[in-house]
Amino acid sequence: MSTLEIRDLHVSIDDNEILKGVNLTINAGEKHALMGPNGTGKSTLSYVIAGHPDYEITQGDILLNGESILEMGADERSRAGIFLAFQYPVAIPGVSVANFLRTALNARMRAEDSESKGMPIPQFRRLLKAKMDLLKMDHKFAGRYLNEGFSGGEKKRAEILQMATLEPSMAILDETDSGLDIDALRIVSEGVNTLMGDSLGVLVITHYQRILNYIQPDFVHIMLDGKIVESGGGELAEHLEEHGYEIIREKHAA
Ligand code: ADP
Ligand code: MG
């Protein structure tokens, strides 16, 4: 069973402190939601967990199963089981969804074993079909060019299929994109709920309370100005929906 532990994390960009002591522990089997107004550092936290090189960690640690991952590169973290769904996925013209996923899987197999020839195509096809069936997706989707002309909902579908195929132990979904329509929210939520199990921990990052109606997190955390100022259950998100961030801001202003 996996655990991701963020300990007193301080992060700066260009000497500007963005995260000011974040503490958060996610166990496999748990769904966490991170909420907060724009500009508070939610996306920064997801990038830092995934290993984006632009951010400087000035204090604290990130541990996966008790071991620090700070010295690991982004690809190594991905192999260790950390998955970050990109907020703004890029289009790759001429590369089908299936090809992209097979390349990603094979790269991982090769990183684990340099002798690996990757997954044989028939086996990959079976795997992909099984994952698409699990997610109730049309098999035709695998033949589309990745993100080319995709609707918001289709981009999310590709993202969830990638998550299903790579089988991470910790998934971080940054859903701040205000362009997310209800359809896309539903796809992400149903996908997460389908893939959820004892071996997956999820952190959903969102500005809006509405995705939480679908995902129903076990834990909700509120971030203000680079710190998690409140943690609770689903009722915390409902409280936010009703009263907004202002009350929490006032409470924590000092
Ligand atoms: P959120 O996701 O909560 O809206 P972000 O993590 O995107 O917040 O941003 C937090 C703060 O860090 C903002 O003030 C933003 O301007 C700043 N920031 C984020 N990324 C960068 C970057 N690459 N360079 C400079 N400033 C950044
Ligand atoms: Mg963001």
Side-chain angles (χ1 to χ4, degrees):
M1 222 198 59
S2 292
T3 302
L4 181 71
E5 191 187 347
I6 295 153
R7 240 186 237 168
D8 190 33
L9 191 69
H10 292 250
V11 171
S12 295
I13 308 171
D14 303 333
D15 291 331
N16 207 349
E17 187 164 66
I18 312 273
L19 297 184
K20 303 171 181 172
V22 174
N23 290 288
L24 179 64
T25 299
I26 302 170
N27 294 303
E30 295 173 354
K31 273 186 275 185
H32 291 247
L34 178 64
M35 305 183 69
N38 280 328
T40 48
K42 304 183 300 296
S43 293
T44 299
L45 179 65
S46 69
Y47 288 135
V48 170
I49 296 171
H52 195 294
D54 285 358
Y55 300 87
E56 191 197 350
I57 294 164
T58 54
Q59 199 178 314
D61 208 347
I62 306 173
L63 305 113
L64 183 64
N65 306 326
E67 307 251 0
S68 176
I69 61 168
L70 293 189
E71 297 302 318
M72 289 161 68
D75 57 334
E76 217 179 326
R77 294 185 197 195
S78 153
R79 263 179 272 134
I82 295 174
F83 176 86
L84 173 66
F86 291 105
Q87 200 176 326
Y88 303 107
V90 290
I92 311 184
V95 174
S96 68
V97 170
N99 268 330
F100 171 76
L101 292 175
R102 200 165 76 87
T103 306
L105 254 188
N106 285 348
R108 192 160 76 180
M109 289 170 75
R110 232 169 273 128
E112 277 160 12
D113 168 15
S114 57
E115 306 280 283
S116 169
K117 292 195 175 67
M119 191 179 280
I121 291 178
Q123 191 189 341
F124 173 74
R125 285 212 179 111
R126 276 197 300 277
L127 173 81
L128 191 56
K129 274 190 186 145
K131 297 297 183 188
M132 287 194 290
D133 288 343
L134 178 70
L135 296 168
K136 299 193 181 69
M137 289 173 58
D138 188 334
H139 289 183
K140 279 198 212 101
F141 187 72
R144 301 258 321 259
Y145 290 150
L146 186 67
N147 289 328
E148 206 178 54
F150 276 19
S151 67
E154 285 166 340
K155 284 181 186 167
K156 290 294 145 187
R157 241 185 258 283
E159 202 172 86
I160 293 294
L161 183 59
Q162 189 185 352
M163 181 171 147
T165 309
L166 294 178
E167 297 182 352
S169 55
M170 285 292 154
I172 304 159
L173 301 123
D174 194 342
E175 299 302 330
T176 27
D177 189 344
S178 52
L180 268 195
D181 56 18
I182 283 296
D183 201 33
L185 286 181
R186 208 176 35 80
I187 288 162
V188 171
S189 309
E190 281 174 5
V192 166
N193 290 336
T194 303
L195 299 176
M196 206 58 213
D198 292 346
S199 54
L200 175 66
V202 171
L203 178 65
V204 178
I205 298 177
T206 182
H207 179 73
Y208 300 104
Q209 191 265 346
R210 55 187 178 171
I211 193 175
L212 307 178
N213 293 335
Y214 299 91
I215 287 200
Q216 298 186 328
D218 307 301
F219 303 93
V220 174
H221 311 276
I222 298 175
M223 183 179 266
L224 280 186
D225 194 25
K227 265 189 181 166
I228 291 176
V229 293
E230 293 210 11
S231 293
E235 77 288 344
L236 193 51
E238 280 159 32
H239 179 83
L240 263 187
E241 173 87 334
E242 233 173 280
H243 305 284
Y245 288 112
E246 233 18 73
I247 280 186
I248 294 169
R249 227 195 259 283
E250 278 164 28
K251 195 167 132 191
H252 292 277

